[in-house]
Coordinates of all heavy atoms in Angstrom, one line a residue:
Q207 N 42.1 83.2 119.7 CA 41.1 82.0 119.9 C 41.8 81.0 120.7 O 42.9 80.5 120.3 CB 40.7 81.5 118.5 CG 39.6 80.4 118.7 CD 39.2 79.8 117.3 OE1 40.0 79.4 116.5 NE2 37.9 79.8 117.1
L208 N 41.2 80.7 121.8 CA 41.7 79.6 122.7 C 40.7 78.4 122.6 O 39.6 78.6 123.0 CB 41.9 80.1 124.1 CG 42.4 79.1 125.2 CD1 43.8 78.6 124.8 CD2 42.4 79.7 126.6
R209 N 41.3 77.2 122.2 CA 40.4 76.1 122.0 C 40.8 75.0 123.0 O 42.0 74.6 123.1 CB 40.5 75.6 120.6 CG 40.0 76.6 119.5 CD 40.1 76.1 118.1 NE 41.4 75.8 117.7 CZ 41.7 75.3 116.6 NH1 40.8 75.0 115.7 NH2 43.1 75.0 116.2
S210 N 39.8 74.4 123.6 CA 39.9 73.2 124.4 C 41.0 73.2 125.4 O 41.8 72.2 125.5 CB 40.1 72.0 123.4 OG 39.1 71.9 122.4
P211 N 41.1 74.2 126.2 CA 42.0 74.1 127.4 C 41.7 73.1 128.3 O 40.6 73.1 128.9 CB 42.0 75.6 127.9 CG 40.6 76.1 127.6 CD 40.3 75.5 126.3
T212 N 42.5 72.1 128.6 CA 42.2 71.0 129.4 C 43.3 70.9 130.5 O 44.5 70.8 130.1 CB 42.1 69.7 128.6 OG1 41.1 69.9 127.7 CG2 41.7 68.6 129.6
A213 N 43.0 70.8 131.8 CA 44.0 70.7 132.8 C 44.7 69.3 132.7 O 44.0 68.3 132.5 CB 43.3 70.9 134.2
Y214 N 46.0 69.3 132.7 CA 46.8 68.1 132.7 C 46.9 67.5 134.1 O 47.2 68.3 135.1 CB 48.2 68.4 132.2 CG 49.1 67.2 132.2 CD1 49.0 66.1 131.3 CD2 50.2 67.1 133.2 CE1 49.9 65.1 131.3 CE2 51.0 66.1 133.2 CZ 50.9 65.0 132.3 OH 51.8 64.0 132.3
S215 N 46.7 66.3 134.3 CA 46.7 65.7 135.7 C 47.6 64.5 135.8 O 47.7 63.8 136.8 CB 45.3 65.2 136.0 OG 44.8 64.2 135.0
G216 N 48.5 64.3 134.8 CA 49.4 63.2 134.8 C 50.6 63.5 135.7 O 50.8 64.6 136.1
E217 N 51.4 62.4 135.9 CA 52.6 62.6 136.7 C 53.7 63.3 135.8 O 53.7 63.2 134.7 CB 53.1 61.2 137.1 CG 52.1 60.5 138.1 CD 52.1 61.3 139.4 OE1 53.1 61.8 139.9 OE2 51.0 61.3 140.1
V218 N 54.6 63.9 136.5 CA 55.8 64.5 135.9 C 57.0 63.9 136.4 O 57.4 64.2 137.6 CB 55.9 66.1 136.2 CG1 57.1 66.7 135.6 CG2 54.6 66.7 135.7
P219 N 57.6 63.0 135.7 CA 58.8 62.2 136.2 C 60.0 63.2 136.4 O 60.2 64.1 135.6 CB 59.1 61.2 135.2 CG 58.5 61.7 133.9 CD 57.3 62.6 134.3
R220 N 60.9 62.9 137.3 CA 62.0 63.7 137.6 C 63.1 63.3 136.6 O 63.2 62.1 136.3 CB 62.6 63.6 139.0 CG 61.5 64.0 140.0 CD 62.2 64.0 141.4 NE 63.2 65.1 141.5 CZ 62.9 66.4 141.7 NH1 61.6 66.8 141.9 NH2 63.8 67.3 141.8
P221 N 63.9 64.2 136.0 CA 65.0 63.8 135.1 C 66.1 63.0 135.8 O 66.3 63.2 137.0 CB 65.5 65.1 134.6 CG 65.2 66.1 135.7 CD 63.9 65.6 136.3
T222 N 66.8 62.2 135.1 CA 67.8 61.4 135.6 C 69.2 61.9 135.3 O 70.2 61.5 135.9 CB 67.7 59.9 135.3 OG1 67.7 59.8 133.8 CG2 66.3 59.3 135.7
D223 N 69.3 62.6 134.1 CA 70.5 63.1 133.7 C 71.0 64.2 134.6 O 70.2 65.0 135.2 CB 70.6 63.4 132.3 CG 69.6 64.6 131.9 OD1 68.5 64.5 132.5 OD2 70.0 65.5 131.1
E224 N 72.4 64.5 134.6 CA 72.8 65.6 135.4 C 73.6 66.5 134.5 O 74.7 66.1 133.9 CB 73.7 65.1 136.5 CG 73.0 64.3 137.6 CD 73.9 63.9 138.7 OE1 75.1 64.2 138.7 OE2 73.4 63.3 139.7
Q225 N 73.1 67.7 134.2 CA 73.8 68.6 133.4 C 74.2 69.8 134.1 O 73.5 70.4 135.0 CB 72.8 69.1 132.2 CG 72.3 68.0 131.4 CD 71.5 68.5 130.2 OE1 71.7 69.6 129.8 NE2 70.7 67.6 129.6
M226 N 75.4 70.3 133.8 CA 76.0 71.3 134.7 C 76.3 72.6 133.9 O 76.6 72.5 132.7 CB 77.4 70.8 135.3 CG 77.3 69.5 135.9 SD 76.4 69.5 137.4 CE 77.6 70.3 138.6
L227 N 76.1 73.7 134.5 CA 76.5 75.0 133.8 C 77.9 75.2 134.2 O 78.2 75.7 135.3 CB 75.6 76.1 134.4 CG 74.3 76.4 133.7 CD1 73.6 77.5 134.3 CD2 74.5 76.7 132.2
D228 N 78.8 74.8 133.3 CA 80.3 74.9 133.6 C 81.0 75.4 132.5 O 81.5 74.6 131.6 CB 80.8 73.5 134.2 CG 82.2 73.6 134.6 OD1 82.7 74.7 134.9 OD2 82.9 72.5 134.7
Q229 N 81.0 76.7 132.3 CA 81.6 77.4 131.1 C 83.0 78.0 131.6 O 83.0 78.3 132.7 CB 80.7 78.5 130.5 CG 79.2 78.0 130.3 CD 79.0 77.3 129.1 OE1 80.0 76.9 128.4 NE2 77.8 77.2 128.7
P230 N 83.9 78.1 130.6 CA 85.2 78.7 131.0 C 85.1 80.2 130.9 O 86.2 80.9 130.9 CB 86.1 78.2 129.9 CG 85.2 78.0 128.7 CD 83.9 77.5 129.3
W231 N 83.9 80.8 131.0 CA 83.7 82.3 130.9 C 82.4 82.7 131.5 O 81.5 81.8 131.8 CB 83.7 82.7 129.4 CG 82.6 82.0 128.6 CD1 82.7 80.9 127.9 CD2 81.2 82.4 128.5 NE1 81.5 80.5 127.4 CE2 80.5 81.5 127.7 CE3 80.5 83.6 129.0 CZ2 79.2 81.6 127.4 CZ3 79.1 83.6 128.7 CH2 78.5 82.7 127.9
Q232 N 82.3 83.9 131.9 CA 81.0 84.4 132.5 C 80.9 85.8 132.3 O 81.9 86.6 132.1 CB 81.0 84.1 134.0 CG 82.1 84.7 134.8 CD 82.0 84.3 136.3 OE1 81.0 84.4 136.8 NE2 83.1 83.9 136.9
A233 N 79.7 86.3 132.3 CA 79.4 87.8 132.3 C 79.6 88.3 133.8 O 79.0 87.8 134.7 CB 78.1 88.1 131.8
T234 N 80.5 89.3 133.9 CA 80.8 89.8 135.3 C 79.9 91.0 135.7 O 80.1 91.5 136.8 CB 82.3 90.1 135.4 OG1 82.6 91.1 134.4 CG2 83.1 88.9 135.2
W235 N 79.1 91.5 134.8 CA 78.1 92.5 135.1 C 76.8 92.2 134.5 O 76.6 91.8 133.3 CB 78.6 93.9 134.5 CG 77.6 95.0 135.0 CD1 77.6 95.7 136.1 CD2 76.5 95.5 134.2 NE1 76.6 96.6 136.2 CE2 75.8 96.4 135.0 CE3 75.9 95.1 133.0 CZ2 74.7 97.1 134.6 CZ3 74.8 95.7 132.6 CH2 74.2 96.7 133.3
L236 N 75.7 92.4 135.3 CA 74.4 92.2 134.8 C 73.6 93.3 135.5 O 73.8 93.8 136.6 CB 73.8 90.8 135.3 CG 74.5 89.6 134.6 CD1 74.1 88.4 135.4 CD2 74.1 89.5 133.1
P237 N 72.4 93.7 134.9 CA 71.5 94.6 135.5 C 70.9 93.9 136.8 O 70.9 92.7 136.9 CB 70.3 94.7 134.5 CG 71.0 94.4 133.2 CD 72.0 93.4 133.5
E238 N 70.7 94.7 137.8 CA 70.2 94.2 139.0 C 69.0 93.3 138.9 O 68.1 93.6 138.2 CB 69.9 95.4 140.0 CG 69.6 94.9 141.4 CD 69.4 96.2 142.3 OE1 69.4 97.3 141.9 OE2 69.1 95.9 143.5
G239 N 69.0 92.2 139.6 CA 67.9 91.3 139.5 C 68.0 90.2 138.5 O 67.3 89.2 138.6
F240 N 69.0 90.2 137.6 CA 69.2 89.2 136.6 C 70.0 88.0 137.2 O 71.1 88.3 137.8 CB 69.9 89.7 135.4 CG 68.9 90.4 134.4 CD1 68.4 91.6 134.6 CD2 68.5 89.7 133.2 CE1 67.5 92.2 133.8 CE2 67.6 90.3 132.3 CZ 67.1 91.5 132.6
V241 N 69.4 86.8 137.1 CA 70.0 85.6 137.7 C 70.3 84.6 136.7 O 69.5 84.4 135.8 CB 69.0 85.1 138.7 CG1 69.6 83.8 139.4 CG2 68.7 86.1 139.8
E242 N 71.5 84.0 136.7 CA 71.8 83.0 135.8 C 70.9 81.7 135.9 O 70.5 81.3 137.0 CB 73.3 82.5 135.9 CG 73.7 81.6 134.8 CD 75.2 81.2 134.9 OE1 75.9 81.8 135.8 OE2 75.6 80.5 134.0
Q243 N 70.5 81.2 134.8 CA 69.5 80.1 134.8 C 70.2 78.8 134.5 O 71.3 78.7 133.7 CB 68.4 80.3 133.7 CG 67.6 81.5 134.0 CD 66.9 81.5 135.3 OE1 66.2 80.6 135.6 NE2 67.2 82.5 136.1
P244 N 69.7 77.7 135.0 CA 70.3 76.4 134.8 C 70.3 76.0 133.3 O 69.4 76.4 132.5 CB 69.4 75.4 135.6 CG 68.8 76.3 136.7 CD 68.6 77.6 136.0
L245 N 71.1 75.1 132.9 CA 71.2 74.5 131.6 C 69.9 73.7 131.3 O 69.5 72.9 132.1 CB 72.4 73.7 131.4 CG 72.7 73.1 130.0 CD1 73.1 74.3 129.1 CD2 73.8 72.1 130.1
E246 N 69.3 74.0 130.2 CA 68.1 73.2 129.7 C 68.6 72.3 128.6 O 69.5 72.5 127.9 CB 67.0 74.1 129.2 CG 66.4 75.0 130.2 CD 65.2 75.8 129.7 OE1 64.8 75.6 128.5 OE2 64.7 76.7 130.4
P247 N 67.8 71.2 128.4 CA 68.0 70.3 127.3 C 68.0 71.0 126.0 O 67.1 71.9 125.7 CB 66.9 69.3 127.4 CG 66.5 69.3 128.8 CD 66.7 70.7 129.3
G248 N 69.0 70.9 125.1 CA 69.0 71.5 123.9 C 69.7 72.9 123.9 O 70.0 73.5 122.9
Q249 N 70.1 73.4 125.1 CA 70.8 74.6 125.2 C 72.2 74.4 124.7 O 72.8 73.4 125.0 CB 70.8 75.1 126.6 CG 71.4 76.5 126.8 CD 71.2 77.0 128.2 OE1 70.2 76.9 128.8 NE2 72.3 77.6 128.8
Q250 N 72.8 75.4 123.9 CA 74.1 75.2 123.4 C 75.2 75.3 124.5 O 75.0 76.0 125.5 CB 74.4 76.3 122.4 CG 73.4 76.3 121.2 CD 73.8 77.3 120.2 OE1 74.9 77.4 119.8 NE2 72.7 78.1 119.7
S251 N 76.3 74.5 124.3 CA 77.3 74.5 125.3 C 78.0 75.8 125.6 O 78.5 76.1 126.7 CB 78.3 73.4 125.0 OG 78.9 73.7 123.8
G252 N 78.0 76.7 124.6 CA 78.6 78.0 124.6 C 77.7 79.0 125.0 O 77.9 80.2 124.5
Q253 N 76.6 78.8 125.7 CA 75.5 79.7 126.0 C 75.3 79.8 127.5 O 75.3 78.8 128.3 CB 74.2 79.3 125.3 CG 73.0 80.2 125.6 CD 71.8 79.6 125.0 OE1 71.8 78.5 124.4 NE2 70.7 80.3 125.1
R254 N 75.0 81.0 128.0 CA 74.5 81.3 129.3 C 73.2 82.1 129.2 O 73.1 82.9 128.2 CB 75.5 82.0 130.2 CG 76.7 81.3 130.6 CD 77.5 82.0 131.6 NE 78.7 81.4 132.0 CZ 78.9 80.6 133.0 NH1 77.8 80.3 133.7 NH2 80.1 80.1 133.3
V255 N 72.3 81.9 130.0 CA 71.0 82.6 130.0 C 70.8 83.3 131.3 O 71.0 82.6 132.4 CB 69.8 81.6 129.7 CG1 68.5 82.4 129.7 CG2 70.0 81.0 128.3
Y256 N 70.4 84.5 131.3 CA 70.2 85.3 132.5 C 68.7 85.9 132.5 O 68.3 86.2 131.4 CB 71.2 86.4 132.7 CG 72.6 86.0 132.6 CD1 73.3 86.1 131.4 CD2 73.3 85.5 133.7 CE1 74.6 85.7 131.3 CE2 74.6 85.1 133.6 CZ 75.3 85.2 132.4 OH 76.6 84.8 132.3
S257 N 68.0 86.0 133.6 CA 66.7 86.5 133.6 C 66.4 87.2 134.9 O 67.0 86.9 135.9 CB 65.7 85.4 133.4 OG 64.4 85.8 133.5
D258 N 65.5 88.2 134.8 CA 65.0 88.9 136.0 C 63.6 88.4 136.3 O 62.9 88.9 137.2 CB 65.0 90.4 135.8 CG 64.0 90.9 134.8 OD1 63.4 90.1 134.1 OD2 63.9 92.2 134.7
G259 N 63.1 87.4 135.6 CA 61.8 86.8 135.8 C 60.8 87.1 134.7 O 60.0 86.4 134.3
L260 N 61.0 88.3 134.0 CA 60.2 88.7 132.8 C 61.1 88.8 131.6 O 60.8 88.2 130.5 CB 59.5 90.0 133.1 CG 58.4 90.1 134.1 CD1 57.8 91.5 134.1 CD2 57.4 89.0 133.8
A261 N 62.2 89.5 131.7 CA 63.1 89.6 130.5 C 64.2 88.5 130.6 O 64.6 88.1 131.7 CB 63.7 91.0 130.5
A262 N 64.8 88.1 129.5 CA 65.8 87.2 129.4 C 66.9 87.6 128.5 O 66.6 88.3 127.5 CB 65.3 85.8 129.0
V263 N 68.1 87.4 128.8 CA 69.3 87.7 128.0 C 70.1 86.4 127.8 O 70.4 85.7 128.7 CB 70.2 88.7 128.6 CG1 71.4 88.9 127.8 CG2 69.5 90.0 128.8
S264 N 70.4 86.1 126.5 CA 71.2 85.0 126.2 C 72.6 85.5 125.7 O 72.6 86.4 124.9 CB 70.6 84.1 125.0 OG 69.4 83.4 125.5
V265 N 73.6 84.9 126.2 CA 75.0 85.3 125.8 C 75.7 84.0 125.2 O 75.6 83.0 125.8 CB 75.9 85.8 127.0 CG1 77.2 86.1 126.5 CG2 75.2 87.0 127.6
F266 N 76.2 84.2 124.0 CA 76.8 83.1 123.3 C 78.3 83.4 123.1 O 78.6 84.5 122.7 CB 76.2 82.9 121.9 CG 74.7 82.6 122.0 CD1 73.8 83.6 122.0 CD2 74.2 81.3 121.9 CE1 72.4 83.3 122.0 CE2 72.9 81.0 121.9 CZ 72.0 82.0 122.0
V267 N 79.1 82.4 123.3 CA 80.6 82.6 123.1 C 81.0 81.5 122.3 O 80.8 80.3 122.6 CB 81.3 82.7 124.4 CG1 82.8 82.7 124.2 CG2 80.9 83.9 125.2
S268 N 81.7 81.8 121.1 CA 82.2 80.7 120.2 C 83.5 81.2 119.6 O 83.7 82.4 119.4 CB 81.1 80.3 119.2 OG 80.8 81.5 118.4
P269 N 84.4 80.3 119.1 CA 85.5 80.7 118.4 C 85.1 81.5 117.1 O 84.1 81.1 116.4 CB 86.2 79.4 118.0 CG 85.7 78.4 119.0 CD 84.3 78.8 119.3
A270 N 85.8 82.6 116.9 CA 85.5 83.4 115.7 C 85.8 82.7 114.5 O 86.9 82.1 114.4 CB 86.2 84.8 115.8
S271 N 84.9 82.7 113.5 CA 85.2 82.0 112.2 C 84.9 82.9 111.1 O 84.3 84.0 111.3 CB 84.2 80.7 112.1 OG 82.9 81.1 112.2
Q272 N 85.3 82.5 110.0 CA 85.1 83.4 108.8 C 83.9 82.9 107.9 O 83.9 81.7 107.6 CB 86.4 83.5 108.0 CG 87.5 84.1 108.6 CD 87.3 85.6 109.0 OE1 86.6 86.2 108.3 NE2 88.0 86.0 110.1
P273 N 82.9 83.7 107.6 CA 82.9 85.1 108.0 C 82.2 85.2 109.4 O 81.2 84.5 109.7 CB 82.0 85.7 107.0 CG 81.0 84.7 106.5 CD 81.9 83.4 106.6
A274 N 82.7 86.0 110.3 CA 82.1 86.3 111.6 C 80.9 87.2 111.5 O 80.8 87.9 110.4 CB 83.1 86.8 112.5
L275 N 80.0 87.2 112.5 CA 79.0 88.2 112.4 C 79.6 89.6 112.6 O 80.6 89.8 113.1 CB 78.1 88.0 113.7 CG 77.3 86.7 113.7 CD1 76.5 86.5 115.0 CD2 76.3 86.5 112.5
E276 N 78.9 90.6 112.0 CA 79.4 91.9 112.0 C 79.4 92.5 113.4 O 78.4 92.4 114.2 CB 78.5 92.8 111.1 CG 79.0 94.3 111.1 CD 78.1 95.1 110.2 OE1 77.2 94.5 109.5 OE2 78.3 96.3 110.1
E277 N 80.5 93.0 113.8 CA 80.7 93.5 115.2 C 79.8 94.8 115.4 O 79.7 95.6 114.4 CB 82.1 93.9 115.5 CG 82.4 94.1 117.0 CD 83.9 94.2 117.2 OE1 84.7 94.4 116.3 OE2 84.3 94.0 118.4
G278 N 79.1 95.0 116.5 CA 78.4 96.2 116.8 C 77.0 95.8 117.3 O 76.8 94.7 117.8
L279 N 76.1 96.7 117.1 CA 74.7 96.6 117.7 C 73.7 96.3 116.6 O 73.9 96.9 115.5 CB 74.3 97.8 118.4 CG 75.3 98.2 119.6 CD1 74.8 99.6 120.2 CD2 75.2 97.2 120.7
H280 N 72.8 95.4 116.8 CA 71.8 95.0 115.8 C 70.4 94.9 116.4 O 70.3 94.8 117.6 CB 72.2 93.7 115.2 CG 73.6 93.6 114.7 ND1 73.9 93.9 113.4 CD2 74.8 93.2 115.3 CE1 75.2 93.7 113.2 NE2 75.7 93.3 114.4
R281 N 69.4 95.1 115.6 CA 68.0 95.0 116.0 C 67.5 93.7 115.4 O 67.6 93.4 114.2 CB 67.2 96.2 115.4 CG 65.8 96.2 115.9 CD 65.7 96.7 117.3 NE 64.3 96.9 117.8 CZ 64.0 97.3 119.0 NH1 64.9 97.4 119.9 NH2 62.7 97.4 119.3
V282 N 66.9 92.9 116.3 CA 66.3 91.6 115.9 C 64.9 91.5 116.3 O 64.6 91.1 117.4 CB 67.1 90.4 116.4 CG1 66.6 89.1 115.9 CG2 68.6 90.6 116.2

Side-chain angles (χ1 to χ4, degrees):
Q207 184 182 50
L208 179 62
R209 297 182 298 181
S210 306
T212 304
Y214 174 76
S215 58
E217 294 294 326
V218 178
R220 300 189 68 83
T222 56
D223 60 322
E224 296 183 355
Q225 300 188 20
M226 310 290 285
L227 275 178
D228 187 14
Q229 312 277 13
W231 57 270
Q232 60 180 312
T234 60
W235 181 87
L236 293 167
E238 187 174 359
F240 275 75
V241 178
E242 186 173 1
Q243 298 302 304
L245 186 69
E246 291 186 8
Q249 185 174 319
Q250 300 182 48
S251 60
Q253 176 188 3
R254 289 186 187 271
V255 178
Y256 308 95
S257 176
D258 68 353
L260 292 183
V263 174
S264 291
V265 179
F266 302 84
V267 174
S268 61
S271 58
Q272 298 295 331
L275 297 175
E276 182 180 352
E277 193 170 21
L279 303 176
H280 306 271
R281 186 74 172 176
V282 186

